């Protein structure tokens, strides 16, 4: 009898647990379907707001310096891409490419003029009187481009950056991002030393507090607000990609594939890269100056310890000897002193250039005068 009672108790318990499980599963199902429904609703509302957002007129800025070998192909690809984006309804009619000839000495500018004659609405160009570097060319392109467009995209003129990534850039723009910047997924064909150099540069910039990330590029799409904010920066030494992110607008990174350069050579030799990196670091941060003070303090403390050691050893009756140690110390300290003066000089040199407030570039020619001050 007792056995039957225990069995009955056990069966009731099982039944109760099963009921509890069923209720829980049902509730979970309702909650998740409710959540799913809400998410769908939010997505639909979001998509509707994106699709109702008016289409924008795009200007693609391409800095070019001695790119005669590659420019015709670039012009064909860029104009085709703009037409495709226009016909798919991603951008408005009237979008165009703006080639900024950074004082080329080959036939680059002639190719731009010829292209403007063939595609007057799609290709515009401005030409600097002298070579001012890619950063300034980009900045100038953005300032010119914003006058006839709602959004500006920047990309290299050698077609190394996958032009189709513009679709993703635009999609994020319509989602509400104001700065969409490209990050290299791969680095294409390049010497291993350049890869190490570039990784080191980004590491130093990050340590100094710059918002640049590894493999960050100048390939980007920016809203008119960002263009206007950028145009307010009047300094001569700019590091375009760092400055953009520093502005602080709603931003998003997009990975894209880097292709090998088809024609022509890179314009950035190791010495030019080193000079650019020094400019970028000293233009961005004053931390190296503070590091000099820390280094000076460290050297002073080492000197004090050595002096105390010498006195103690002298008192103990074994005077310190060592011409070599003395000579080494002199070389090391002398070298450190000169290095520190060099760093200080770098900043003073920049101050000297900045206070002169010379124009960063002079435009010598342009394909048309419309919308240009
Ligand atoms: N560029 C420029 N001014 C310069 C050097 C380069 O406008 O003084 C342009 C160049 O024409 C190209 C882009 O900057 O459109 C990137 O240059 P490059 O391909 O030589 O650089 P890399 O891809 O090797 O970093
Ligand atoms: Mg390139």
């Amino acid at each position: 009898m007792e056995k039957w009672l225990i069995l009955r108790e056990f069966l009731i318990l099982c039944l109760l647990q099963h009921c509890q499980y069923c209720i829980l599963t049902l509730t979970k199902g309702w909650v998740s379907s409710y959540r799913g429904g809400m998410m769908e609703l939010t997505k639909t509302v979001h998509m509707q707001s994106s699709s109702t957002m008016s289409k924008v007129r795009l200007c693609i800025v391409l800095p070019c310096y001695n790119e005669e070998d590659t420019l015709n192909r670039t012009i064909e690809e860029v104009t085709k891409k703009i037409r495709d984006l226009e016909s798919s309804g991603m951008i408005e009619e009237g979008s165009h490419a703006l080639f900024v000839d950074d004082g080329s000495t080959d036939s680059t500018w002639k190719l731009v003029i010829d292209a403007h004659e063939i595609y007057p609405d799609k290709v515009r160009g401005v030409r600097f009187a002298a070579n001012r570097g890619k950063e300034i060319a980009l900045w100038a392109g953005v300032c010119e481009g914003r006058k006839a467009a709602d959004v500006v995209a920047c990309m290299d003129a050698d077609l190394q950056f996958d032009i189709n990534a513009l679709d993703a850039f635009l999609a994020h723009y319509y989602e509400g991002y104001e700065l969409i910047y490209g990050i290299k997924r791969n680095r294409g064909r390049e010497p291993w030393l350049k890869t190490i150099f570039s990784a080191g540069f980004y590491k130093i910039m990050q340590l100094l507090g710059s918002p640049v990330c590894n493999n960050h590029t100048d390939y980007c799409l920016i809203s008119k607000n960002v263009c206007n904010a950028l145009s307010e920066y009047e300094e001569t030494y700019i590091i375009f990609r760092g400055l953009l992110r520093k502005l602080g607008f709603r931003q998003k990174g997009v990975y894209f594939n880097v292709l090998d350069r088809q024609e022509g050579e890179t314009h950035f030799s190791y010495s030019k890269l080193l000079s650019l990196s020094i400019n970028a670091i000293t233009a961005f941060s004053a931390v190296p100056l503070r590091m000099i003070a820390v280094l000076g303090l460290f050297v002073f403390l080492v000197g004090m310890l050595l002096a105390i050691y010498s006195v103690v050893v002298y008192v103990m009756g074994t005077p310190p000897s060592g011409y070599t140690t003395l000579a080494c110390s002199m070389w090391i300290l002398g070298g450190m002193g000169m290095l520190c003066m060099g760093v200080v000089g770098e900043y003073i040199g920049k101050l000297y250039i900045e206070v002169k407030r010379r124009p960063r570039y002079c435009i010598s020619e342009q394909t048309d005068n419309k919308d240009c001050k």
Side-chain angles (χ1 to χ4, degrees):
M1 188 63 192
E2 208 171 293
K3 256 188 201 168
W4 285 114
L5 266 174
I6 293 172
L7 191 66
R8 203 188 66 182
E9 294 277 299
F10 177 73
L11 281 173
I12 291 173
L13 204 74
C14 283
L15 198 71
L16 275 175
Q17 277 203 342
H18 182 72
C19 285
Q20 191 185 8
Y21 173 76
C22 286
I23 291 169
L24 268 174
T25 322
L26 261 175
T27 334
K28 244 189 195 168
W30 288 338
V31 168
S32 65
S33 66
Y34 173 75
R35 263 198 209 144
M38 282 309 281
M39 271 166 75
E40 273 305 307
L41 190 71
T42 324
K43 223 167 148 186
T44 320
V45 168
H46 184 74
M47 275 164 68
Q48 272 173 359
S49 68
S50 310
S51 59
T52 49
M53 201 168 168
S54 61
K55 298 291 169 241
V56 285
R57 185 179 293 184
L58 171 71
C59 170
I60 305 181
V61 169
L62 300 107
C64 33
Y65 178 57
N66 292 346
E67 293 287 4
E68 62 180 4
D69 294 330
T70 186
L71 209 65
N72 275 335
R73 201 167 66 90
T74 308
I75 290 165
E76 291 309 321
E77 294 246 350
V78 171
T79 46
K80 180 177 173 302
K81 183 71 194 169
I82 293 174
R83 269 197 228 100
D84 287 351
L85 287 170
E86 282 176 347
S87 52
S88 68
M90 286 283 273
I91 53 174
E92 213 184 276
E93 296 284 326
S95 297
H96 58 277
L98 174 66
F99 290 85
V100 183
D101 179 354
D102 186 13
S104 298
T105 48
D106 64 1
S107 59
T108 297
W109 181 242
K110 189 179 173 308
L111 295 178
V112 175
I113 297 175
D114 292 348
H116 176 68
E117 271 161 23
I118 302 168
Y119 313 109
D121 301 329
K122 287 280 162 279
V123 175
R124 291 171 59 210
V126 289
R127 174 164 160 80
F128 285 1
N131 178 241
R132 302 313 311 252
K134 183 186 172 189
E135 309 294 319
I136 303 280
L138 281 170
W139 188 89
V142 168
C143 292
E144 288 297 320
R146 76 191 160 123
K147 295 175 188 168
D150 309 305
V151 285
V152 173
C154 299
M155 65 183 293
D156 286 1
D158 56 2
L159 287 181
Q160 278 196 274
F161 297 167
D162 181 9
I163 198 165
N164 292 318
L166 277 178
D167 297 29
F169 284 17
L170 280 163
H172 288 306
Y173 174 80
Y174 288 122
E175 278 170 17
Y177 290 96
E178 295 216 55
L179 157 62
I180 300 103
Y181 55 92
I183 307 167
K184 290 179 180 174
R185 189 177 282 129
N186 58 313
R187 294 191 58 89
R189 196 177 49 215
E190 74 173 9
W192 57 269
L193 197 59
K194 195 170 175 183
T195 312
I196 295 176
F197 193 99
S198 150
F201 168 71
Y202 285 120
K203 198 86 240 142
I204 295 175
M205 288 300 281
Q206 283 158 8
L207 283 175
L208 294 176
S210 169
V212 290
C213 56
N214 287 351
N215 294 332
H216 199 147
T217 62
D218 294 318
Y219 192 15
C220 63
L221 184 117
I222 53 181
S223 69
K224 196 148 192 150
N225 280 340
V226 177
C227 295
N228 292 341
L230 197 67
S231 68
E232 300 285 318
Y233 280 73
E234 290 182 350
E235 61 225 56
T236 306
Y237 293 98
I238 46 171
I239 172 89
F240 189 76
R241 63 197 89 165
L243 190 54
L244 269 186
R245 290 209 57 197
K246 201 95 184 115
L247 293 175
F249 288 84
R250 197 167 172 223
Q251 42 194 270
K252 179 143 190 106
V254 171
Y255 284 88
F256 69 93
N257 293 324
V258 177
L259 314 168
D260 292 336
R261 201 182 229 278
Q262 299 297 313
E263 287 98 12
E265 290 285 312
T266 176
H267 299 92
F268 293 97
S269 58
Y270 287 108
S271 60
K272 207 165 173 186
L273 277 178
L274 184 68
S275 139
L276 252 177
S277 308
I278 293 174
N279 279 345
I281 291 165
T282 49
F284 172 77
S285 164
V287 171
L289 285 179
R290 204 170 302 148
M291 272 159 54
I292 288 178
V294 175
L295 187 70
L297 187 69
F298 174 74
V299 172
F300 171 74
L301 289 177
V302 172
M304 286 301 286
L305 285 176
L306 268 177
I308 294 168
Y309 167 76
S310 307
V311 171
V312 171
V313 174
Y314 182 78
V315 170
M316 284 165 73
T318 44
S321 67
Y323 167 77
T324 323
T325 328
L326 203 67
C328 282
S329 312
M330 269 174 58
W331 279 95
I332 291 170
L333 287 179
M336 260 184 197
M338 279 199 257
L339 182 72
C340 294
M341 275 200 294
V343 176
V344 176
E346 192 66 35
Y347 282 93
I348 293 177
K350 288 210 164 46
L351 271 176
Y352 172 68
I353 301 283
E354 296 289 358
V355 290
K356 283 203 259 192
R357 301 187 76 77
R358 286 180 177 168
R360 276 177 280 190
Y361 60 91
C362 303
I363 292 179
S364 62
E365 288 168 71
Q366 50 196 57
T367 49
D368 58 358
N369 284 321
K370 74 173 177 247
D371 298 312
C372 293
K373 273 183 205 158

